[in-house]
Structures are given as structure tokens and as C-alpha cells.
Amino acid sequence: MAEPIKITLYRWAGSWGPFKVNIPCGECTLTKDILNDTFANELNGIPIELEVKDWLSHWWEPLQKGVWHAPILMVEGKVISQGEALNRGVLVQSVIQEWTKRDTLSGNIVYGKATCPYCVKAKKCSDDAGIPYTYADVVKRQCRLV
């Protein structure tokens, strides 16, 4: 099995000096819910390691990347979202990009999801042009030569 893709969420909570926040903000809570739902659906079966950190206790870590407003989400150390509830499409795209770096497939590859209209169109265009390709379903983690 491949190494898990590391995702880090910095949420508005934690403590620093005399300051303490016990309850995360609404966007942070919503982002965590979106993460869990996306892991269970669009990214089901993809090896992912989620680390949730309290921003106030670790503020200097995301600040080194130039971000400061929680919720902050990083995929393999790259900032993909900050300051608002997560767009699940951005998360899925970022995980696919990481996954393709680790993939051993070669040649013409269409990475897709069965219900994505753009993925369906990419396959149709390749079929119409007579271009052979390997279709890699990112949700089911299945590959087949077409």
C-alpha cells in the first residue's frame, strides 16, 4: 500500500501564553465535517493521514507558509485553503495531484471519477480521436486499459 497523503488542518482553537480558545470557529468545524465526508465518499479507499492542530498552539507553522487565518488546510505541506470553509473540489484535486506523483502508471492516462462530467468528456474525446489510454478511477482505485 502506498504511503498516505498527509493532510493538516489548523483550526481556530488552542492556547498561547494567557490566551485560550476551547471551541473552534464555525468554518473550522464545517471544514472538518467536509473533510470527513469527502474521505468517506469521493476519496474513499485513498490512503490519507489527517492531522488536526490547534492554530493558536502552532501559529508559527502555517505562518512560515505565509498563511495565518484559520481554518488552514495543507496537503503534503502545500496550502490549499485558508480563512473559509473548505471547497471539497479543491481538496479532491489536491489529493489527485499528490496521488499522481506516486502512481506508477505510464502512457496516456485519464484520471477520473465515474460521475464527473469532465472526466466522461475526456474519455469520449480520447475515444473519438482513437487515442488509447488507461482509465484510472480515483474513487474506486481501479485501472484499466481502454
Side-chain angles (χ1 to χ4, degrees), residues 104-124:
T104 57
L105 295 172
S106 61
N108 299 318
I109 304 170
V110 175
Y111 292 93
K113 176 181 167 187
T115 58
C116 171
Y118 301 103
C119 301
V120 171
K121 186 174 182 179
K123 292 191 311 184
K124 182 175 179 353

Side-chain angles (χ1 to χ4, degrees), residues 40-126:
N41 292 291
E42 287 87 354
L43 299 175
N44 186 20
I46 304 283
I48 293 174
E49 176 188 325
L50 175 63
E51 180 177 23
V52 179
K53 292 186 172 186
D54 293 342
W55 180 87
L56 200 53
S57 301
H58 300 273
W59 60 267
W60 59 92
E61 294 173 5
L63 197 58
Q64 293 174 18
K65 301 281 186 178
V67 294
W68 59 273
H69 193 288
I72 299 165
L73 193 71
M74 295 185 191
V75 174
E76 291 292 335
K78 179 183 174 193
V79 177
I80 66 163
S81 178
Q82 81 158 321
E84 58 189 11
L86 176 66
N87 175 327
R88 71 192 311 134
V90 171
L91 172 64
V92 170
Q93 284 182 325
S94 298
V95 170
I96 289 171
Q97 285 176 344
E98 258 327 294
W99 185 54
T100 57
K101 291 177 189 175
R102 300 165 188 207
D103 205 341
T104 57
L105 295 172
S106 61
N108 299 318
I109 304 170
V110 175
Y111 292 93
K113 176 181 167 187
T115 58
C116 171
Y118 301 103
C119 301
V120 171
K121 186 174 182 179
K123 292 191 311 184
K124 182 175 179 353
C125 288
S126 296

